[in-house]
């Protein structure tokens, strides 16, 4: 067969395959054009998941008649003044979107250039252009796309449900809106407006935080840690969610580079790495981060949809991101997400889970309120349904005065232990419930990591080496990791075919059942090996330390003395990341006294 040049309409249809993958990509291209045109408000309508009508209206600069005619031509753009691809400041630059959309749908563009007396309209139906004609429009541009993919039935078959396509459109609008907080957006589906975002004026310190709340939820806004860092000409700004706000996938990672929302593997992976062991396996944080760098430091011309990028200095970007996130998370210290306590309170107020039947000794619970609360757990100890603290001691009175100081700490003064599992503490204006195992586990883990970083984990020799029977595979896995484990304070040797002998353990761990730890370590190590041969060593070490901490920490079910409890609280306050345990669960919840009063109708 002889070579032939393809007709323009076919070329456009082929390009459309990459540029407009689904209705949400049309929405993206049209919003980007409106943003590039300097719009201050953008209204979007999408019916039937975008397969009915997509209509995007803006109040931007508009186009005059000749520009309008050119706009639907292939590779015609107003955004590359010279032929330089290394200084792209606009979202578009390829001149492909409008002709591609016109090739696979019924497209109409109405526009009025700023200051012009007349508005014009042009239509393209499956690649067939109609002549320009005058129309009525007060300003800006309106682009209407009907029957998307009707000209390419093969593509139409790949569309997901109307609901899924609508959701993808809403997500796209949110991503763009987040990156452009000074533009007003609205999204409607033909029946109602589903999203309305007012502009957030720039210049405020929390520029965009209000919008962030609208998009990622008020929970996020409440628990977002500000992130701000720079390195050379690269700056990073935004908000990162506390690790306890994790999600099952990366859908709540909102990342923008130079105002362009991206779904970049490098960035997403880096974010995950920065949270590291603060998140449970396979979970993702919520965050919105905006990276700004000189345009020649990043290549946006990697993919026709422009959602992928290439950085000139990926390592620089990576370390800026990791440093900034670690810093923000470190500053959060023991904070856990407020939404957890909120959810707990809401459950308490639900009538079906309220305390019924009421226990006969109800009166002693009044100690929870106001001033009286100070004595709760001590004076009432005898009848209280709580485990007593240590035996009442002669210096209990003395402790009460120390108490006042303890209560001034963020996690307050320990008042009681419930079920030998939870510590109840009281601050000046809240009640704090601590999961003693979860909290201690994080503390031990952070101590282990610290001593590992500071030159090594101190070991303690077992008086009698302990032989641990496992299966052959587990014994082999552990034996092959013996050198690695020794650096972490655990000295083992193979013992026969299916056992190992433990000679030394990290002294930080105190007394604990060694056998359980070894079993867990063996299955962890095996799992990690099969998962990915190239797992980062550091990640693997962290994981071993975390497993050790889990075994070497105060278990649920151990009775603690008041001194032990207060010591635990004070150490939590001083330890980074102590708001969640190594499995990403919270270590404590805080119930505001005001909320508790509300529960009882006192407010
Ligand atoms: N909403 C709009 N307002 C003003 N001009 C627009 C608008 N949409 C498109 N244009 C013009 O049409 C041209 C072609 O648009 P498009 O095909 O998306 O390519 P690109 O955005 O890559 O330039 C743009 O360069 C711009 O000049
Ligand atoms: Mg464009």
């Amino acid at each position: 067969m002889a070579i032939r040049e393809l007709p323009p309409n076919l070329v456009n249809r082929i390009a459309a395959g990459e540029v407009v993958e689904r209705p949400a990509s049309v929405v993206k291209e049209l919003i980007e054009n409106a943003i590039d045109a300097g719009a201050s408000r953008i209204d979007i309508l999408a019916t039937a998941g975008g397969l009915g009508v997509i209509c995007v209206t803006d109040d931007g600069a508009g186009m005059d008649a000749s520009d309008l005619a050119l706009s639907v031509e292939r590779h015609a753009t107003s955004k590359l003044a010279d032929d330089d691809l290394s200084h792209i400041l606009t979202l578009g630059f390829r001149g492909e979107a409008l002709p591609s959309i016109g090739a696979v749908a019924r497209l109409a563009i109405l526009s009025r250039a700023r200051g012009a007396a007349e508005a014009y309209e042009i239509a393209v139906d499956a690649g067939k252009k109609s002549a320009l004609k005058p129309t009525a429009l007060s300003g800006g541009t309106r682009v209407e796309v009907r029957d998307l993919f009707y000209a390419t039935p093969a593509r139409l078959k790949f569309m997901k449900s109307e609901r899924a396509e609508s959701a993808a459109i809403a997500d796209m609008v949110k991503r763009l809106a987040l990156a452009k907080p000074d533009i007003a957006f609205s999204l409607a589906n033909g029946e109602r407006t589903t999203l309305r975002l007012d502009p957030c004026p720039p210049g405020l310190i929390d520029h965009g935080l209000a919008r962030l709340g609208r998009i990622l939820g008020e929970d996020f806004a409440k628990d977002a840690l500000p992130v701000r860092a720079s390195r050379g000409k690269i700056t990073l700004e935004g908000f990162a969610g506390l690790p306890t706000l994790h999600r099952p996938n990366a859908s709540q990672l909102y990342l923008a580079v130079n105002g362009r929302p991206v779904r970049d593997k490098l960035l997403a992976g880096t974010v995950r790495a920065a949270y590291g062991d603060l998140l449970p396996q396979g979970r993702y944080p919520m965050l919105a981060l905006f990276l700004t760098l000189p345009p020649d430091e990043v290549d946006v011309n990697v993919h026709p949809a422009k959602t992928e990028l290439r950085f000139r200095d990926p390592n620089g970007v990576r370390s800026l991101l990791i440093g900034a996130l670690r810093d923000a998370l470190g500053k959060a210290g023991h904070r856990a997400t407020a939404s957890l306590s909120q959810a707990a309170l809401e459950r308490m107020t639900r009538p079906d889970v309220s305390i019924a039947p009421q226990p006969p000794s109800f009166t002693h619970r009044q100690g929870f309120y106001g001033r009286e609360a100070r004595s709760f757990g001590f004076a009432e100890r005898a009848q209280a349904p709580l485990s007593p603290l240590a035996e009442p001691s002669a210096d209990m009175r003395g402790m009460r005065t120390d108490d006042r100081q303890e209560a001034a700490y963020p996690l307050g003064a320990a008042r009681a232990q419930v079920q030998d599992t939870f510590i109840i503490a009281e601050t000046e204006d809240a009640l704090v419930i601590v999961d003693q195992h979860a909290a201690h586990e994080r503390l031990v883990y952070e101590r282990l990591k610290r001593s590992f970083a500071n030159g090594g984990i101190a070991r303690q020799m077992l008086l009698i080496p302990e032989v641990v029977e496992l299966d052959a595979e587990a014994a082999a896995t552990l034996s092959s990791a013996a050198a690695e484990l020794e650096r972490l304070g655990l000295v083992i040797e193979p013992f026969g075919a299916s056992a190992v002998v433990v000679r030394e353990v990290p002294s930080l761990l105190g007394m604990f059942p060694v056998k359980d730890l070894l079993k867990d370590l063996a299955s962890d190590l095996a799992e990690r090996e099969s998962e990915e041969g190239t797992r980062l060593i550091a990640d693997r070490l962290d994981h071993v330390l975390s497993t050790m901490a889990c075994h070497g920490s105060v278990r649920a079910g151990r009775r603690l003395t008041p001194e032990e409890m207060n010591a635990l609280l004070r150490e939590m306050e001083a330890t980074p990341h102590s708001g969640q345990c190594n499995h990403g669960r919270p270590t404590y919840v805080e119930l505001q006294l005001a909320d508790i009063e509300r529960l009882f109708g006192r407010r």
Side-chain angles (χ1 to χ4, degrees):
M1 257 213 281
I3 296 178
R4 67 167 183 137
E5 279 194 73
L6 299 175
N9 193 28
L10 188 56
V11 173
N12 284 335
R13 220 170 264 181
I14 290 170
E18 293 171 309
V19 181
V20 286
E21 199 194 333
R22 61 194 298 192
S25 359
V26 172
V27 170
K28 167 179 175 292
E29 294 295 335
L30 299 183
I31 294 178
E32 286 186 352
N33 281 346
I35 292 172
D36 284 344
S40 65
R41 87 160 291 123
I42 303 175
D43 297 300
I44 303 118
L45 165 76
T47 68
L51 293 171
V53 184
I54 293 173
C55 180
V56 175
T57 308
D58 69 59
D59 63 354
M63 285 174 272
D64 62 19
S66 64
D67 275 356
L68 185 57
L70 271 177
S71 71
V72 294
E73 294 300 326
R74 186 163 172 74
H75 297 318
T77 179
S78 58
K79 300 172 194 176
L80 287 178
D82 45 27
D83 297 343
D84 185 359
L85 275 178
S86 67
H87 280 89
I88 291 166
L89 298 167
T90 47
L91 295 171
F93 59 89
R94 299 171 61 109
E96 281 185 310
L98 295 179
S100 301
I101 296 167
V104 297
R106 298 182 224 276
L107 168 72
I109 310 172
L110 295 75
S111 195
R112 179 168 172 174
R114 205 161 274 158
E118 289 220 68
Y120 290 91
E121 173 178 354
I122 193 170
V124 186
D125 184 344
K128 263 204 293 315
K129 282 170 220 127
S130 66
L132 222 58
K133 60 177 187 197
T135 190
L137 189 75
S138 59
T141 302
R142 182 156 92 228
V143 183
E144 295 171 5
V145 179
R146 284 168 207 280
D147 305 326
L148 181 62
F149 299 131
Y150 93 96
T152 49
R155 176 54 65 94
L156 196 53
K157 284 204 195 97
F158 281 95
M159 293 306 111
K160 301 206 176 115
S161 69
E162 199 178 305
R163 262 227 346 256
E165 296 301 340
S166 294
I169 290 172
D171 182 62
M172 189 57 82
V173 175
K174 288 176 180 175
R175 283 180 190 274
L176 285 154
L178 212 48
K180 299 284 170 191
D182 41 350
I183 301 179
F185 284 86
S186 78
L187 171 64
N189 61 12
E191 281 157 27
R192 57 192 186 88
T193 301
T194 53
L195 185 71
R196 194 188 302 276
L197 297 167
D198 297 329
C200 305
L204 295 175
I205 300 207
D206 56 355
H207 180 40
L209 185 58
R211 175 157 294 190
L212 229 72
R214 299 294 312 282
I215 293 178
L216 282 98
E218 294 306 326
D219 278 359
F220 177 77
K222 244 184 265 161
D223 287 333
L225 309 167
V227 175
R228 185 161 300 174
S230 61
R231 184 190 158 106
K233 288 183 191 152
I234 316 179
T235 63
L236 179 72
E237 263 189 306
F239 293 87
L242 286 173
T244 34
L245 272 178
H246 50 73
R247 293 288 178 272
N249 51 46
S251 67
Q252 303 289 306
L253 295 183
Y254 289 85
L255 299 166
V257 176
N258 288 349
R260 180 191 304 280
V262 292
R263 283 178 194 274
D264 186 83
K265 288 224 173 67
L266 170 88
L267 295 180
T270 304
V271 163
R272 185 71 188 65
Y275 276 74
D277 53 40
L278 298 178
L279 288 172
Q281 285 285 308
R283 306 286 294 189
Y284 289 83
M286 292 177 80
L287 50 73
L289 292 177
F290 308 95
L291 193 69
T292 312
L293 68 178
D296 58 347
E297 291 278 314
V298 56
D299 185 359
V300 290
N301 191 21
V302 176
H303 186 270
K306 301 161 293 184
T307 46
E308 283 168 36
L309 325 149
R310 215 149 282 158
F311 292 104
R312 215 166 77 176
D313 174 19
N315 289 334
V317 171
R318 224 182 121 83
S319 58
L320 174 68
L321 210 60
I322 293 205
L325 283 174
R326 294 246 162 105
D327 190 45
L329 293 169
K331 281 193 192 121
H334 63 272
R335 254 179 82 190
T337 158
S339 58
L340 286 166
S341 337
Q342 204 51 46
L345 268 177
E346 273 155 20
R347 278 183 69 81
M348 285 205 237
T349 45
R350 269 204 345 239
D352 57 324
V353 290
S354 68
I355 354 159
Q358 292 191 344
S361 59
F362 186 66
T363 42
H364 68 248
R365 297 197 173 193
Q366 286 165 355
F368 268 104
Y369 302 124
R371 309 266 139 249
E372 289 160 278
R374 303 254 173 248
S375 64
F376 183 65
F378 290 94
E380 252 70 47
R381 184 172 35 78
Q383 320 106 287
L386 307 173
S387 310
L389 298 169
E391 282 309 301
S393 55
D395 58 4
M396 193 60 107
R397 218 169 272 280
M399 229 197 101
R400 290 281 297 285
T401 26
D402 293 346
D403 251 24
R404 200 146 304 166
Q405 292 159 11
E406 302 269 9
Y409 284 107
L411 295 177
R415 291 287 178 227
Q417 190 186 17
V418 186
Q419 305 276 325
D420 293 340
T421 298
F422 301 106
I423 298 168
I424 310 285
E426 186 190 11
T427 66
E428 273 151 11
D429 53 8
L431 182 77
V432 176
I433 307 174
V434 178
D435 178 330
Q436 67 188 41
H437 173 63
H440 196 234
E441 182 181 314
R442 170 57 72 177
L443 298 182
V444 172
Y445 177 48
E446 293 293 333
R447 273 188 230 154
L448 282 170
K449 279 202 295 192
R450 252 191 330 263
S451 46
F452 181 68
N454 294 340
I457 294 175
R459 298 196 297 256
Q460 171 190 335
M461 190 120 72
L462 295 182
L463 281 181
I464 308 162
E466 191 168 333
V467 176
V468 179
E469 280 293 339
L470 302 149
D471 56 57
E473 246 170 76
T477 307
L478 284 174
S479 302
S480 68
E484 207 175 336
L485 293 174
E486 180 165 343
R487 286 173 58 210
L488 301 175
L490 189 67
V491 180
I492 59 165
E493 282 163 25
F495 190 81
S498 61
V500 296
V501 56
V502 182
R503 298 200 179 279
E504 294 174 53
V505 297
S507 25
L508 271 172
L509 298 189
M511 300 278 290
F512 67 99
V514 177
K515 178 167 183 160
D516 294 347
L517 169 65
L518 288 195
K519 277 192 187 156
D520 274 10
L521 280 181
S523 60
D524 274 1
L525 291 171
E527 192 181 303
R528 303 231 134 198
E529 263 161 16
S530 57
E531 218 174 73
E532 259 172 70
T534 54
R535 270 257 168 224
L536 290 174
I537 294 282
D539 179 31
R540 202 165 122 136
L541 296 188
D542 273 357
H543 203 76
V544 170
L545 291 181
S546 154
T547 307
M548 285 183 178
C550 180
H551 285 271
S553 52
V554 168
R555 290 266 146 181
R558 174 140 104 63
R559 182 118 353 144
L560 300 175
T561 66
E563 290 77 10
E564 283 177 314
M565 289 192 264
N566 277 320
L568 187 78
L569 298 178
R570 300 297 79 83
E571 193 176 346
M572 282 172 76
E573 285 153 3
T575 303
H577 314 311
S578 59
Q580 59 279 318
C581 76
N582 309 347
H583 310 292
R585 291 192 302 266
T587 53
Y588 76 95
V589 292
E590 185 175 27
L591 305 178
Q592 296 302 313
L593 202 58
D595 288 331
I596 298 174
E597 285 172 350
R598 232 170 261 126
L599 270 181
F600 289 93
R602 289 203 169 212
R603 278 194 180 219

